[in-house]
PDB file of all heavy atoms in Angstrom:
ATOM      1  N   GLN A  22     102.183 182.058 -73.669  1.00  0.00           N
ATOM      2  CA  GLN A  22     101.555 181.596 -74.917  1.00  0.00           C
ATOM      3  C   GLN A  22     102.541 180.798 -75.763  1.00  0.00           C
ATOM      4  O   GLN A  22     102.217 179.739 -76.291  1.00  0.00           O
ATOM      5  CB  GLN A  22     101.051 182.788 -75.730  1.00  0.00           C
ATOM      6  CG  GLN A  22      99.657 183.225 -75.319  1.00  0.00           C
ATOM      7  CD  GLN A  22      99.279 184.571 -75.950  1.00  0.00           C
ATOM      8  OE1 GLN A  22      99.982 185.089 -76.828  1.00  0.00           O
ATOM      9  NE2 GLN A  22      98.170 185.124 -75.482  1.00  0.00           N
ATOM     10  N   GLU A  23     103.749 181.345 -75.879  1.00  0.00           N
ATOM     11  CA  GLU A  23     104.781 180.665 -76.677  1.00  0.00           C
ATOM     12  C   GLU A  23     105.078 179.279 -76.083  1.00  0.00           C
ATOM     13  O   GLU A  23     105.125 178.282 -76.795  1.00  0.00           O
ATOM     14  CB  GLU A  23     106.061 181.512 -76.699  1.00  0.00           C
ATOM     15  CG  GLU A  23     107.217 180.807 -77.400  1.00  0.00           C
ATOM     16  CD  GLU A  23     108.520 181.622 -77.380  1.00  0.00           C
ATOM     17  OE1 GLU A  23     108.479 182.824 -77.032  1.00  0.00           O
ATOM     18  OE2 GLU A  23     109.567 181.044 -77.716  1.00  0.00           O
ATOM     19  N   HIS A  24     105.231 179.237 -74.767  1.00  0.00           N
ATOM     20  CA  HIS A  24     105.543 177.966 -74.101  1.00  0.00           C
ATOM     21  C   HIS A  24     104.414 176.950 -74.322  1.00  0.00           C
ATOM     22  O   HIS A  24     104.660 175.792 -74.642  1.00  0.00           O
ATOM     23  CB  HIS A  24     105.764 178.203 -72.606  1.00  0.00           C
ATOM     24  CG  HIS A  24     106.034 176.950 -71.828  1.00  0.00           C
ATOM     25  ND1 HIS A  24     107.272 176.352 -71.768  1.00  0.00           N
ATOM     26  CD2 HIS A  24     105.204 176.146 -71.099  1.00  0.00           C
ATOM     27  CE1 HIS A  24     107.203 175.254 -71.035  1.00  0.00           C
ATOM     28  NE2 HIS A  24     105.967 175.103 -70.611  1.00  0.00           N
ATOM     29  N   GLU A  25     103.189 177.415 -74.165  1.00  0.00           N
ATOM     30  CA  GLU A  25     102.067 176.479 -74.319  1.00  0.00           C
ATOM     31  C   GLU A  25     101.923 175.997 -75.766  1.00  0.00           C
ATOM     32  O   GLU A  25     101.559 174.852 -76.019  1.00  0.00           O
ATOM     33  CB  GLU A  25     100.767 177.116 -73.824  1.00  0.00           C
ATOM     34  CG  GLU A  25     100.759 177.243 -72.305  1.00  0.00           C
ATOM     35  CD  GLU A  25      99.358 177.395 -71.713  1.00  0.00           C
ATOM     36  OE1 GLU A  25      98.383 177.009 -72.400  1.00  0.00           O
ATOM     37  OE2 GLU A  25      99.255 177.902 -70.585  1.00  0.00           O
ATOM     38  N   ALA A  26     102.236 176.878 -76.722  1.00  0.00           N
ATOM     39  CA  ALA A  26     102.115 176.482 -78.131  1.00  0.00           C
ATOM     40  C   ALA A  26     103.259 175.561 -78.549  1.00  0.00           C
ATOM     41  O   ALA A  26     103.045 174.581 -79.257  1.00  0.00           O
ATOM     42  CB  ALA A  26     102.085 177.727 -79.023  1.00  0.00           C
ATOM     43  N   GLN A  27     104.475 175.854 -78.092  1.00  0.00           N
ATOM     44  CA  GLN A  27     105.650 175.125 -78.596  1.00  0.00           C
ATOM     45  C   GLN A  27     106.067 173.953 -77.711  1.00  0.00           C
ATOM     46  O   GLN A  27     106.449 172.905 -78.212  1.00  0.00           O
ATOM     47  CB  GLN A  27     106.852 176.082 -78.701  1.00  0.00           C
ATOM     48  CG  GLN A  27     106.584 177.375 -79.442  1.00  0.00           C
ATOM     49  CD  GLN A  27     106.642 177.190 -80.939  1.00  0.00           C
ATOM     50  OE1 GLN A  27     107.437 176.403 -81.431  1.00  0.00           O
ATOM     51  NE2 GLN A  27     105.786 177.888 -81.660  1.00  0.00           N
ATOM     52  N   VAL A  28     106.030 174.132 -76.416  1.00  0.00           N
ATOM     53  CA  VAL A  28     106.639 173.140 -75.529  1.00  0.00           C
ATOM     54  C   VAL A  28     105.605 172.165 -74.963  1.00  0.00           C
ATOM     55  O   VAL A  28     105.880 170.982 -74.793  1.00  0.00           O
ATOM     56  CB  VAL A  28     107.414 173.847 -74.387  1.00  0.00           C
ATOM     57  CG1 VAL A  28     108.103 172.820 -73.497  1.00  0.00           C
ATOM     58  CG2 VAL A  28     108.438 174.808 -74.982  1.00  0.00           C
ATOM     59  N   ARG A  29     104.400 172.682 -74.690  1.00  0.00           N
ATOM     60  CA  ARG A  29     103.373 171.834 -74.102  1.00  0.00           C
ATOM     61  C   ARG A  29     103.093 170.556 -74.915  1.00  0.00           C
ATOM     62  O   ARG A  29     103.017 169.470 -74.342  1.00  0.00           O
ATOM     63  CB  ARG A  29     102.097 172.659 -73.909  1.00  0.00           C
ATOM     64  CG  ARG A  29     100.985 171.901 -73.254  1.00  0.00           C
ATOM     65  CD  ARG A  29      99.784 172.803 -73.019  1.00  0.00           C
ATOM     66  NE  ARG A  29      98.678 172.005 -72.501  1.00  0.00           N
ATOM     67  CZ  ARG A  29      97.523 172.508 -72.132  1.00  0.00           C
ATOM     68  NH1 ARG A  29      97.308 173.806 -72.195  1.00  0.00           N
ATOM     69  NH2 ARG A  29      96.578 171.714 -71.680  1.00  0.00           N
ATOM     70  N   PRO A  30     102.968 170.652 -76.264  1.00  0.00           N
ATOM     71  CA  PRO A  30     102.739 169.413 -77.028  1.00  0.00           C
ATOM     72  C   PRO A  30     103.893 168.414 -76.874  1.00  0.00           C
ATOM     73  O   PRO A  30     103.671 167.207 -76.870  1.00  0.00           O
ATOM     74  CB  PRO A  30     102.636 169.886 -78.482  1.00  0.00           C
ATOM     75  CG  PRO A  30     102.418 171.363 -78.430  1.00  0.00           C
ATOM     76  CD  PRO A  30     102.969 171.854 -77.129  1.00  0.00           C
ATOM     77  N   LEU A  31     105.114 168.936 -76.744  1.00  0.00           N
ATOM     78  CA  LEU A  31     106.273 168.047 -76.588  1.00  0.00           C
ATOM     79  C   LEU A  31     106.236 167.356 -75.221  1.00  0.00           C
ATOM     80  O   LEU A  31     106.653 166.207 -75.066  1.00  0.00           O
ATOM     81  CB  LEU A  31     107.583 168.835 -76.729  1.00  0.00           C
ATOM     82  CG  LEU A  31     107.785 169.566 -78.060  1.00  0.00           C
ATOM     83  CD1 LEU A  31     109.073 170.380 -78.027  1.00  0.00           C
ATOM     84  CD2 LEU A  31     107.822 168.557 -79.213  1.00  0.00           C
ATOM     85  N   GLU A  32     105.724 168.079 -74.232  1.00  0.00           N
ATOM     86  CA  GLU A  32     105.618 167.526 -72.889  1.00  0.00           C
ATOM     87  C   GLU A  32     104.598 166.384 -72.872  1.00  0.00           C
ATOM     88  O   GLU A  32     104.830 165.325 -72.284  1.00  0.00           O
ATOM     89  CB  GLU A  32     105.203 168.639 -71.909  1.00  0.00           C
ATOM     90  CG  GLU A  32     105.486 168.303 -70.463  1.00  0.00           C
ATOM     91  CD  GLU A  32     105.476 169.534 -69.550  1.00  0.00           C
ATOM     92  OE1 GLU A  32     104.873 170.573 -69.915  1.00  0.00           O
ATOM     93  OE2 GLU A  32     106.077 169.450 -68.464  1.00  0.00           O
ATOM     94  N   LYS A  33     103.482 166.575 -73.562  1.00  0.00           N
ATOM     95  CA  LYS A  33     102.467 165.522 -73.633  1.00  0.00           C
ATOM     96  C   LYS A  33     103.008 164.320 -74.412  1.00  0.00           C
ATOM     97  O   LYS A  33     102.812 163.165 -74.004  1.00  0.00           O
ATOM     98  CB  LYS A  33     101.189 166.055 -74.285  1.00  0.00           C
ATOM     99  CG  LYS A  33     100.111 164.998 -74.374  1.00  0.00           C
ATOM    100  CD  LYS A  33      98.807 165.524 -74.957  1.00  0.00           C
ATOM    101  CE  LYS A  33      97.813 164.363 -75.114  1.00  0.00           C
ATOM    102  NZ  LYS A  33      96.559 164.784 -75.752  1.00  0.00           N
ATOM    103  N   ALA A  34     103.697 164.596 -75.518  1.00  0.00           N
ATOM    104  CA  ALA A  34     104.266 163.504 -76.321  1.00  0.00           C
ATOM    105  C   ALA A  34     105.244 162.689 -75.478  1.00  0.00           C
ATOM    106  O   ALA A  34     105.296 161.459 -75.555  1.00  0.00           O
ATOM    107  CB  ALA A  34     104.962 164.063 -77.557  1.00  0.00           C
TER     108      ALA A  34
END
Side-chain angles (χ1 to χ4, degrees):
Q22 274 169 10
E23 175 182 348
H24 178 81
E25 289 200 21
Q27 309 279 325
V28 183
R29 182 177 175 176
L31 301 176
E32 198 163 21
K33 180 177 176 184

